[in-house]
Amino acid sequence: MGETVIERDAIQRAPVAREPFPYFLAEKVLSSDVLAAAQRDFPAITQPGVFPLKELSYGLGFADLIDGIRSRELEELLEQKFDVELADKPLMITVRGRCQKKDGRIHTDSTDKIVTCLLYLNDTWSEDGGRLRLLRNGTDIDDVIAEIPPNGGTFVAFKRTDNSWHGHHPFEGPRRYIMFNWVRSEAALVKNIGRHTLSAKLKRLNPFA
């Protein structure tokens, strides 16, 4: 089932903006049934932070979605949209279930990453905070290129560059997404997964860290 859970046509139709960095937004990439199954079987995350898959337990509906993310068909589609080669690059998948007020600070992703994708699994988002903002610079959260509410089934992807700034206004509470990144090497994958694993263990010891 994994290869068909993501509506790849919705991603295919989404136009790619090229300035100031390559990105696109696609909505409703999950059917209502697939979204409901992924929400039902989402990992029981009670702490903020992002968690590697190996640190989590989850049900079949969520597992099917992970299989879809790992599919070569989705990888090929992202290769075409961003004009990159990903087939020989490792894929890193992490999950967030909760947000704390200090999250969302403006940043670019590390140079280890090539493409970043976020697939949101919330209900319809009504909060002012927690809406991802793609930005023109690294200092002004209100200098917005695009603002993306993290509604369930919304998919945003961008090519990592030195100016791929993003962040969001503060929010505290449940905020669910799967983040997946193609990284430059196995060494980069091991390093990043190790960092997230250590962070996850520390969060369990001190959830307010």
Side-chain angles (χ1 to χ4, degrees):
M1 183 179 178
E3 292 186 1
T4 60
V5 295
I6 296 175
E7 301 287 344
R8 292 192 295 270
D9 286 348
I11 296 174
Q12 180 70 66
R13 291 192 300 268
V16 179
R18 299 294 174 183
E19 297 294 337
F21 56 88
Y23 73 91
F24 72 88
L25 165 68
E27 297 179 301
K28 297 182 179 179
V29 304
L30 304 178
S31 71
S32 58
D33 288 345
V34 168
L35 176 59
Q39 290 175 325
R40 179 195 67 218
D41 293 340
F42 192 86
I45 298 174
T46 58
Q47 298 91 12
V50 294
F51 292 81
L53 279 178
K54 70 177 184 177
E55 295 293 316
L56 301 171
S57 298
Y58 45 85
L60 289 177
F62 189 84
D64 279 339
L65 185 51
I66 295 298
D67 287 345
I69 287 169
R70 287 177 166 150
S71 71
R72 176 57 184 154
E73 289 80 3
L74 179 60
E75 185 177 67
E76 286 179 332
L77 184 51
L78 290 163
E79 286 178 330
Q80 294 164 13
K81 296 189 83 68
F82 289 125
D83 192 24
V84 292
E85 293 185 8
L86 301 174
D88 62 340
K89 305 301 183 187
L91 177 63
M92 178 172 68
I93 303 176
T94 54
V95 183
R96 180 184 288 277
R98 295 190 64 84
C99 197
Q100 56 187 336
K101 286 185 178 179
K102 69 178 183 179
D103 294 331
R105 289 172 289 194
I106 300 173
H107 65 287
T108 62
D109 288 351
S110 74
T111 55
D112 288 337
K113 298 176 181 178
I114 302 168
V115 169
T116 292
C117 302
L118 296 164
L119 177 56
Y120 292 104
L121 298 176
N122 308 290
D123 294 327
T124 300
W125 195 260
S126 59
E127 303 288 341
D128 291 332
R131 296 168 180 256
L132 179 67
R133 290 184 167 192
L134 307 182
L135 303 166
R136 293 186 176 85
N137 61 65
T139 59
D140 187 356
I141 193 68
D142 293 318
D143 195 358
V144 179
I145 304 163
E147 182 179 80
I148 299 103
N151 299 321
T154 295
F155 182 96
V156 60
F158 57 88
K159 190 174 180 180
R160 190 272 166 199
T161 67
D162 289 339
N163 67 328
S164 55
W165 301 105
H166 55 284
H168 60 76
H169 280 302
F171 172 76
E172 187 171 22
R175 184 173 179 267
R176 294 178 167 187
Y177 64 73
I178 303 170
M179 177 167 64
F180 50 107
N181 312 86
W182 281 265
V183 297
R184 298 191 178 279
S185 66
E186 288 293 337
L189 178 65
V190 170
K191 179 183 75 173
N192 282 275
I193 288 294
R195 177 170 58 84
H196 288 309
T197 299
L198 176 60
S199 176
K201 290 177 179 176
L202 292 174
K203 289 289 184 186
R204 290 192 175 99
L205 292 173
N206 181 8
F208 302 105

